[in-house]
Each structure stands twice: as structure tokens, then as C-alpha cells.
Amino acid sequence: MDRTELAELALTEVTALGPAFADVRAVAEDSESIDVRDDRVERATRTASRGVGVRVLVDGAWGFAATADEDGAAVRRTARLAVEIARASGRVSGAPVRLDDTPPACGTYTTPHVVDPLTVPVAEKAEYLLRATEAARTVAGVSFVEGTTDAWRRHTVYRSTEGAAVAQTVLQVGGGLAAFAVGGGEVQRRSYPTSFRGQFVTGGWEEILALDLPGHAASTAREAVALLAAPDLPVGAATTVVLDSSQLAMQIHESIGHPLELDRILGMERAYAGGSFVRPDDRGRLRYAAPLVSVTADATTRNGLGTFGYDDEGVPAGSAPIIADGLLVGFLTNRETAALLGGISNGTARADSWGSIPLIRMNNVSLHPGPDEDVDRADIVADTRAGFLLSTNRSWSIDDQRTNFQFGCEAAYEISHGQLGRLYRNPTYAGRTIDFWRSCDALGGARDWRIWSVPICGKGQPSQVARVAHGASTGRFRATVGVR
């Protein structure tokens, strides 16, 4: 049976059992990862995953069951099991679950692309990565170089007892380069275009070729070697920091995206990094950031890793304001949490496979560019009397209420009277979420803005991994630097 037949079989079986609501996802996902190091291929893997997940609502309680066995009898058994689990859950659950009034959607979606990345031969991808590592290894002092590429193709057929009927295929692809310099008890890394296996987008293989990894390899390696001889960034309280757009994307992820997931705010989700300092009645009242700051959750952003046609509750992709001119105006919601606040879902329910129940996950939660579209990083540096420019995330840490944070970056440059000066290694900065965002006094414009990926967002118990994105331009803030 194909995905549509499997989904409809499961829906027919579960509907006959009379739940208040049920939905079914029949999913087929293929993925590939390739790693090269110096002049050799270290790893080339392909995986395939197929299965059906059934979610039901009986007497106000959820039940979920899934199977990788696509035999008709197994699918029917799974549908019945989901209902049995819901009935059992009803004996111990709290307030009955109620869903919002989102109309059932019908439609199809395929990620815009030119070349499906999973149709490109492994040898061709490996040769591209090896050209990049070869170019980086021409730099004296570089110890070793790694190149990576990953790709996913997920086809989902969704059906619900409300009449939703959706089919979509999402293509995601990523690639990157990391050069390492080792010596004197130090390991320094410089990454292109960003860290943690590079940049990821929705689209085709052409997006990875456009990164031009070989063309940026030598400059990346030279920065890694320079970092090895640089001093550590010294401690400095209440310091001006200019964050490049990729680091600001990670800052958005940890200190805006996660705290504004409504399941965390309502105490329904506390696994991994806990809850949130935000309360439901803060909406429309909390001055979260400086007036310069506006943030939108947008699942339609071109090439965003969190771009899709429908979420895993069948809600069409859309755009929802979260912070407007510094004021908190919205949360990330699914159909269950939106109903609790009298609204409708903004389409952020996603599961990491057919075997997982959908959770609230960020899509593309992005900072709007500054008002002058021509302002870029160089302009903000030129406008800064004293401070530090920090680039490319290396580490992150934030408390279980998302109040206090610390980030590490790969490199920092001193800013003195509008000029970049000394290079520092092992830079860190720390602050409090609200104080940090309220200190924002400069943002790059539209030409400086870029969508960046976070491909390893963990949440839930059992753990799920989501692939999300954040758009940002260069930003200027106040923070404590050099914290160890």
C-alpha cells in the first residue's frame, strides 16, 4: 500500500471506534549524511524510515500508537491500540483536552527545488567536499579540515476525522566546512558558513553548491590558525557586543523561541530545558525587548529550515507575530494550547517521525531587519565606540526558566572607535533575557538579514529532534563578556 492507502485504512479503522477526534500520519523519510576529513571520506550513510502514527482523543484524553509494520492488519491493530491508550489515559488525565476551531485543510505541498539532493550521487557530493578540504589544507598551520553534507526527504500523508486531507513532501539539505588548528594545549575551530555541520535550508542540492565551500575554505582555515595565537577574551561587565547574524539566530532560538512555546508556559512541557519565565497573561503587557525588536514565526519563509506546507496537525503554514516593537504579542501554539487561550493554532505542531506525537516546535522564528535596509555589519561596527564583535556559535547554556544565558562563540574582534582591532579566542558573553533584548540599539537592514538553521533542536520526553530556523541581521546589545 502507498502512503495514502495506509492513512485512509488507519482512519477508517479508528473512526469506527467513535473517538471525538483522530488523525493519522503515514510517513516515508529518506536521509543521507556524508563526512570527509582532509583527503578521505570518513562516512557515507543512507537511512530510510516508513511507518504510520495514529492519534486519538477519547473522553478528553489523548492516545497515540504507531507502527513500522505496514501490513493492513498491523495498521488496524495500531488504530485500535491508540483508542485503548486514550481510554486508559482518561483515568488519570486532568482537564479534558479541547481542540481549537481550525478548519480542516485539504491540499498538497512540495518544497521548491531544482535538484532533489537525494538524487545526486554520493561520489559527486564527496568530490565537492574534498575540493573544499583540499583548498583549506593549503594554509600553513591548519591541523585538519572536515566537510559535511546532509539531506532529508520526508513525504507525509495526513488525514483526520474532521475531514483534513493533506499530502506534502519536504526537502531539507545542509553543508559546511570546519578547519581546526591544534597546539599549545588548545584546539581552535573556524566554521563556514556556520558551526555544527554548516548551514541547512529547505530546497535542493543547488543551495549547497551556492554556499561555495571550496571558495571559502582557505579564508576559514586562516582564521582557525590565527585564533590559535590569539589571547582569550578578557572579562568585562556591561560591555557593548555586536553579534553577527548567525550568532544572533542562536540567541533568538534559546531566549525567544523556546520561552514563547505555549506548552512550556502552561507547564505542559518541562523536559530538556524546563519551562519559561513568561506567563500567559504577559501577552500584550510584557515589554520583552527594545522598540527596535519585532519577531515573527513564519513557516513560509523562503528556504527556511522550518518551512513547510502544513504542520503535523494539518494546519496550513502561516505567519504569526510574536513580538511587535518590543511588546510580547503572541506565543507558539498548537490546536490544544491555542484553544486554552481562546484562539486558533499558528501551526507549530510537529513530530520528528511517524513514531512520535506532535509537539509545539519552532518553525522560522525570525527577527525583523532594522529600519534602514542598507545598514550592515560594517556600518554597525563603524558606529560603535568600544566593544566586541562576536561571530559563529560554539556553545550555549540557559537556565530552566530561560532567564539567564551564556553563549560561546568561535571568534571575537575588539571594536575601538569604529574599527575592528585585535582578534580574541574562546569568547563568551552572558546576560539576562529581558535585559539583553531591551538593550538592543542597532540592527542591520534587509540586505544584512539572512535565514540561519538550527538542525538539532531537542525537546520532549521521549526526546525528539526538530529542524528549525531563525532569520536575523547583525545586532548590537549590552552583555558581560569573557565569562568562564
Side-chain angles (χ1 to χ4, degrees):
M1 287 185 281
D2 62 21
R3 298 300 104 190
T4 300
E5 292 169 329
L6 287 167
E8 292 183 348
L9 173 64
L11 187 70
T12 298
E13 183 72 15
V14 76
T15 300
L17 300 173
F21 171 84
D23 62 5
V24 176
R25 288 176 295 115
V27 179
E29 181 169 78
D30 296 282
S31 63
E32 180 186 83
S33 291
I34 301 173
D35 293 47
V36 308
R37 180 166 175 166
D38 292 336
D39 59 353
R40 61 188 182 275
V41 176
E42 291 272 290
R43 181 175 69 114
T45 60
R46 274 211 171 199
T47 61
S49 178
R50 307 281 188 273
V52 178
V54 181
R55 187 179 66 155
V56 304
L57 196 54
V58 177
D59 298 331
W62 285 118
F64 178 77
T67 180
D69 186 343
E70 299 187 345
D71 177 77
V75 172
R76 285 190 287 269
R77 272 198 311 274
T78 300
R80 294 193 295 272
L81 178 59
V83 172
E84 291 173 15
I85 291 171
R87 287 173 176 152
S89 299
R91 301 190 187 104
V92 295
S93 64
V97 173
R98 184 174 67 84
L99 300 182
D100 71 0
D101 296 325
T102 296
C106 296
T108 61
Y109 173 84
T110 299
T111 299
H113 66 284
V114 177
V115 179
D116 181 335
L118 288 162
T119 66
V120 178
V122 170
E124 183 176 328
K125 294 174 181 171
E127 189 275 335
Y128 175 68
L129 296 176
L130 288 168
R131 277 197 289 122
T133 56
E134 181 181 12
R137 293 172 65 214
T138 63
V139 175
V142 69
S143 300
F144 61 94
V145 187
E146 295 175 343
T148 56
T149 183
D150 302 270
W152 297 269
R153 179 179 56 224
R154 179 180 294 184
H155 178 60
T156 303
V157 173
Y158 176 88
R159 295 288 187 271
S160 81
T161 52
E162 294 177 334
V166 166
Q168 72 172 345
T169 300
V170 175
L171 292 170
Q172 298 169 313
V173 62
L177 178 77
F180 295 80
V182 182
E186 277 285 332
V187 178
Q188 290 297 318
R189 178 187 69 200
R190 202 69 179 100
S191 305
Y192 173 82
T194 189
S195 48
F196 303 110
R197 301 183 71 82
Q199 169 74 326
F200 294 76
V201 298
T202 49
W205 177 243
E206 67 278 0
E207 303 293 343
I208 304 307
L209 295 179
L211 295 175
D212 188 15
L213 299 182
H216 292 83
S219 60
T220 302
R222 282 194 291 271
E223 288 195 10
V225 174
L227 281 169
L228 200 58
D232 287 341
L233 183 66
V235 175
T239 301
T240 295
V241 294
V242 176
L243 303 183
D244 74 4
S245 62
S246 70
Q247 174 55 32
L248 191 47
M250 182 59 82
Q251 181 78 47
I252 295 166
H253 181 85
E254 299 292 351
S255 65
I256 291 180
H258 277 311
L260 299 183
E261 294 166 338
L262 190 52
D263 53 353
R264 290 186 190 273
I265 293 169
L266 296 173
M268 300 163 67
E269 164 59 40
R270 293 196 181 278
Y272 259 89
S276 173
F277 67 91
V278 177
R279 300 293 173 258
D281 61 2
D282 284 337
R283 185 175 57 172
R285 299 168 56 185
L286 176 63
R287 179 61 61 182
Y288 204 99
L292 188 60
V293 174
S294 293
V295 176
T296 297
D298 189 346
T300 69
T301 305
R302 181 180 180 273
N303 288 141
L305 191 59
T307 296
F308 45 79
Y310 304 86
D311 78 355
D312 284 330
E313 290 186 320
V315 177
S319 177
I322 303 299
I323 296 173
D325 302 326
L327 183 68
L328 176 64
V329 297
F331 305 120
L332 303 177
T333 63
N334 58 8
R335 296 191 62 190
E336 178 181 353
T337 58
L340 292 171
L341 297 189
I344 61 171
S345 169
N346 49 32
T348 64
R350 288 195 289 159
D352 69 354
S353 80
W354 50 266
S356 301
I357 195 165
L359 303 172
I360 293 177
R361 306 312 302 262
M362 290 172 253
N363 42 45
N364 308 300
V365 178
S366 298
L367 177 65
H368 295 197
D372 187 338
E373 70 170 351
D374 292 325
V375 168
D376 61 12
R377 188 174 77 175
D379 294 317
I380 293 176
V381 168
D383 183 54
T384 301
R385 187 182 65 82
F388 297 95
L389 168 66
L390 282 80
S391 299
T392 314
N393 184 261
R394 193 180 61 181
S395 65
W396 61 93
S397 177
I398 192 163
D399 68 49
D400 65 354
Q401 294 300 302
R402 303 275 161 181
T403 302
N404 302 284
F405 62 80
Q406 177 182 324
F407 289 93
C409 296
E410 290 189 352
Y413 284 91
E414 180 184 30
I415 303 173
S416 178
H417 300 287
Q419 299 291 321
L420 289 181
R422 192 171 194 177
L423 174 67
Y424 290 93
R425 71 186 185 191
N426 303 325
T428 62
Y429 69 97
R432 290 173 57 84
T433 293
I434 292 292
D435 295 340
F436 176 84
W437 284 106
R438 287 178 179 172
S439 74
C440 180
D441 67 355
L443 286 176
R447 292 185 183 180
D448 189 52
W449 189 95
R450 183 172 178 179
I451 190 81
W452 292 98
S453 57
V454 177
I456 51 171
C457 175
K459 184 178 179 182
Q461 197 170 38
S463 173
Q464 297 189 38
V465 176
R467 299 185 280 271
V468 309
H470 308 284
S473 49
T474 306
R476 187 171 63 195
F477 304 85
R478 300 283 286 177
T480 297
V481 300
V483 178
R484 296 288 182 267

mmCIF file of all heavy atoms in Angstrom, residues 263-276 279 400-401 461:
data_model
loop_
_atom_site.group_PDB
_atom_site.id
_atom_site.type_symbol
_atom_site.label_atom_id
_atom_site.label_comp_id
_atom_site.label_asym_id
_atom_site.label_seq_id
_atom_site.Cartn_x
_atom_site.Cartn_y
_atom_site.Cartn_z
ATOM 1 N N ASP A 263 3.243 25.482 25.329
ATOM 2 C CA ASP A 263 3.204 24.300 26.216
ATOM 3 C C ASP A 263 4.173 24.445 27.380
ATOM 4 O O ASP A 263 3.877 24.003 28.496
ATOM 5 C CB ASP A 263 3.454 23.000 25.432
ATOM 6 C CG ASP A 263 4.720 23.021 24.605
ATOM 7 O OD1 ASP A 263 5.377 24.087 24.497
ATOM 8 O OD2 ASP A 263 5.065 21.964 24.033
ATOM 9 N N ARG A 264 5.327 25.075 27.165
ATOM 10 C CA ARG A 264 6.242 25.356 28.277
ATOM 11 C C ARG A 264 5.615 26.368 29.236
ATOM 12 O O ARG A 264 5.690 26.218 30.458
ATOM 13 C CB ARG A 264 7.566 25.920 27.756
ATOM 14 C CG ARG A 264 8.450 24.948 27.012
ATOM 15 C CD ARG A 264 9.784 25.623 26.699
ATOM 16 N NE ARG A 264 10.582 24.839 25.793
ATOM 17 C CZ ARG A 264 11.418 23.867 26.164
ATOM 18 N NH1 ARG A 264 11.539 23.562 27.434
ATOM 19 N NH2 ARG A 264 12.114 23.204 25.270
ATOM 20 N N ILE A 265 5.024 27.418 28.674
ATOM 21 C CA ILE A 265 4.433 28.479 29.502
ATOM 22 C C ILE A 265 3.318 27.921 30.384
ATOM 23 O O ILE A 265 3.169 28.313 31.547
ATOM 24 C CB ILE A 265 3.908 29.607 28.588
ATOM 25 C CG1 ILE A 265 5.078 30.304 27.886
ATOM 26 C CG2 ILE A 265 3.075 30.621 29.370
ATOM 27 C CD1 ILE A 265 4.663 31.245 26.782
ATOM 28 N N LEU A 266 2.548 26.986 29.851
ATOM 29 C CA LEU A 266 1.425 26.405 30.591
ATOM 30 C C LEU A 266 1.852 25.255 31.501
ATOM 31 O O LEU A 266 1.012 24.666 32.185
ATOM 32 C CB LEU A 266 0.351 25.922 29.607
ATOM 33 C CG LEU A 266 -0.321 27.021 28.775
ATOM 34 C CD1 LEU A 266 -1.227 26.401 27.719
ATOM 35 C CD2 LEU A 266 -1.114 27.966 29.672
ATOM 36 N N GLY A 267 3.119 24.912 31.501
ATOM 37 C CA GLY A 267 3.606 23.838 32.356
ATOM 38 C C GLY A 267 3.307 22.450 31.834
ATOM 39 O O GLY A 267 3.426 21.464 32.567
ATOM 40 N N MET A 268 2.930 22.339 30.566
ATOM 41 C CA MET A 268 2.612 21.044 29.972
ATOM 42 C C MET A 268 3.868 20.334 29.468
ATOM 43 O O MET A 268 3.816 19.154 29.130
ATOM 44 C CB MET A 268 1.628 21.237 28.814
ATOM 45 C CG MET A 268 0.315 21.890 29.238
ATOM 46 S SD MET A 268 -0.632 22.558 27.852
ATOM 47 C CE MET A 268 -1.078 21.078 26.974
ATOM 48 N N GLU A 269 4.984 21.048 29.346
ATOM 49 C CA GLU A 269 6.220 20.506 28.809
ATOM 50 C C GLU A 269 7.375 21.060 29.632
ATOM 51 O O GLU A 269 7.595 22.269 29.656
ATOM 52 C CB GLU A 269 6.367 20.899 27.336
ATOM 53 C CG GLU A 269 7.749 20.726 26.762
ATOM 54 C CD GLU A 269 8.253 19.301 26.840
ATOM 55 O OE1 GLU A 269 7.453 18.384 26.609
ATOM 56 O OE2 GLU A 269 9.435 19.109 27.161
ATOM 57 N N ARG A 270 8.104 20.182 30.317
ATOM 58 C CA ARG A 270 9.232 20.656 31.118
ATOM 59 C C ARG A 270 10.494 19.839 30.878
ATOM 60 O O ARG A 270 11.494 20.061 31.528
ATOM 61 C CB ARG A 270 8.877 20.629 32.598
ATOM 62 C CG ARG A 270 7.794 21.615 32.987
ATOM 63 C CD ARG A 270 7.738 21.833 34.475
ATOM 64 N NE ARG A 270 6.680 22.749 34.856
ATOM 65 C CZ ARG A 270 6.785 24.065 34.804
ATOM 66 N NH1 ARG A 270 7.900 24.612 34.375
ATOM 67 N NH2 ARG A 270 5.775 24.839 35.160
ATOM 68 N N ALA A 271 10.454 18.874 29.980
ATOM 69 C CA ALA A 271 11.636 18.051 29.719
ATOM 70 C C ALA A 271 12.712 18.887 29.038
ATOM 71 O O ALA A 271 12.465 19.975 28.532
ATOM 72 C CB ALA A 271 11.252 16.857 28.859
ATOM 73 N N TYR A 272 13.918 18.350 29.011
ATOM 74 C CA TYR A 272 15.083 19.026 28.451
ATOM 75 C C TYR A 272 15.366 20.313 29.207
ATOM 76 O O TYR A 272 15.850 20.255 30.323
ATOM 77 C CB TYR A 272 14.889 19.298 26.952
ATOM 78 C CG TYR A 272 15.623 18.315 26.096
ATOM 79 C CD1 TYR A 272 15.020 17.136 25.704
ATOM 80 C CD2 TYR A 272 16.925 18.561 25.702
ATOM 81 C CE1 TYR A 272 15.696 16.227 24.934
ATOM 82 C CE2 TYR A 272 17.610 17.655 24.922
ATOM 83 C CZ TYR A 272 16.992 16.481 24.543
ATOM 84 O OH TYR A 272 17.671 15.575 23.784
ATOM 85 N N ALA A 273 15.034 21.493 28.670
ATOM 86 C CA ALA A 273 15.452 22.757 29.307
ATOM 87 C C ALA A 273 14.315 23.418 30.071
ATOM 88 O O ALA A 273 14.308 24.627 30.250
ATOM 89 C CB ALA A 273 16.026 23.702 28.282
ATOM 90 N N GLY A 274 13.353 22.665 30.554
ATOM 91 C CA GLY A 274 12.380 23.178 31.502
ATOM 92 C C GLY A 274 11.288 24.040 30.913
ATOM 93 O O GLY A 274 10.885 23.875 29.757
ATOM 94 N N GLY A 275 10.790 25.000 31.749
ATOM 95 C CA GLY A 275 9.628 25.801 31.382
ATOM 96 C C GLY A 275 10.006 27.162 30.837
ATOM 97 O O GLY A 275 10.896 27.283 29.996
ATOM 98 N N SER A 276 9.325 28.191 31.342
ATOM 99 C CA SER A 276 9.545 29.536 30.832
ATOM 100 C C SER A 276 9.227 30.551 31.918
ATOM 101 O O SER A 276 8.321 30.337 32.738
ATOM 102 C CB SER A 276 8.645 29.797 29.615
ATOM 103 O OG SER A 276 8.723 31.144 29.216
ATOM 104 N N ARG A 279 4.475 34.251 31.471
ATOM 105 C CA ARG A 279 3.164 33.793 31.929
ATOM 106 C C ARG A 279 2.121 34.096 30.852
ATOM 107 O O ARG A 279 2.282 35.046 30.078
ATOM 108 C CB ARG A 279 2.783 34.485 33.235
ATOM 109 C CG ARG A 279 3.759 34.210 34.357
ATOM 110 C CD ARG A 279 3.687 32.731 34.759
ATOM 111 N NE ARG A 279 4.725 32.374 35.715
ATOM 112 C CZ ARG A 279 5.848 31.725 35.389
ATOM 113 N NH1 ARG A 279 6.062 31.359 34.132
ATOM 114 N NH2 ARG A 279 6.739 31.432 36.303
ATOM 115 N N ASP A 400 16.593 26.738 33.437
ATOM 116 C CA ASP A 400 15.370 26.002 33.106
ATOM 117 C C ASP A 400 14.132 26.898 32.975
ATOM 118 O O ASP A 400 13.070 26.409 32.617
ATOM 119 C CB ASP A 400 15.119 24.871 34.107
ATOM 120 C CG ASP A 400 14.843 25.377 35.510
ATOM 121 O OD1 ASP A 400 14.945 26.589 35.751
ATOM 122 O OD2 ASP A 400 14.532 24.547 36.382
ATOM 123 N N GLN A 401 14.267 28.197 33.265
ATOM 124 C CA GLN A 401 13.171 29.134 33.002
ATOM 125 C C GLN A 401 13.502 30.104 31.875
ATOM 126 O O GLN A 401 12.757 31.044 31.613
ATOM 127 C CB GLN A 401 12.832 29.918 34.285
ATOM 128 C CG GLN A 401 12.252 29.053 35.391
ATOM 129 C CD GLN A 401 10.958 28.364 34.979
ATOM 130 O OE1 GLN A 401 9.988 29.030 34.609
ATOM 131 N NE2 GLN A 401 10.932 27.036 35.036
ATOM 132 N N GLN A 461 9.854 14.284 25.879
ATOM 133 C CA GLN A 461 10.257 13.078 26.588
ATOM 134 C C GLN A 461 9.240 11.987 26.260
ATOM 135 O O GLN A 461 8.091 12.103 26.714
ATOM 136 C CB GLN A 461 10.299 13.334 28.090
ATOM 137 C CG GLN A 461 11.078 12.323 28.867
ATOM 138 C CD GLN A 461 11.287 12.737 30.312
ATOM 139 O OE1 GLN A 461 10.385 13.309 30.921
ATOM 140 N NE2 GLN A 461 12.432 12.451 30.863
#
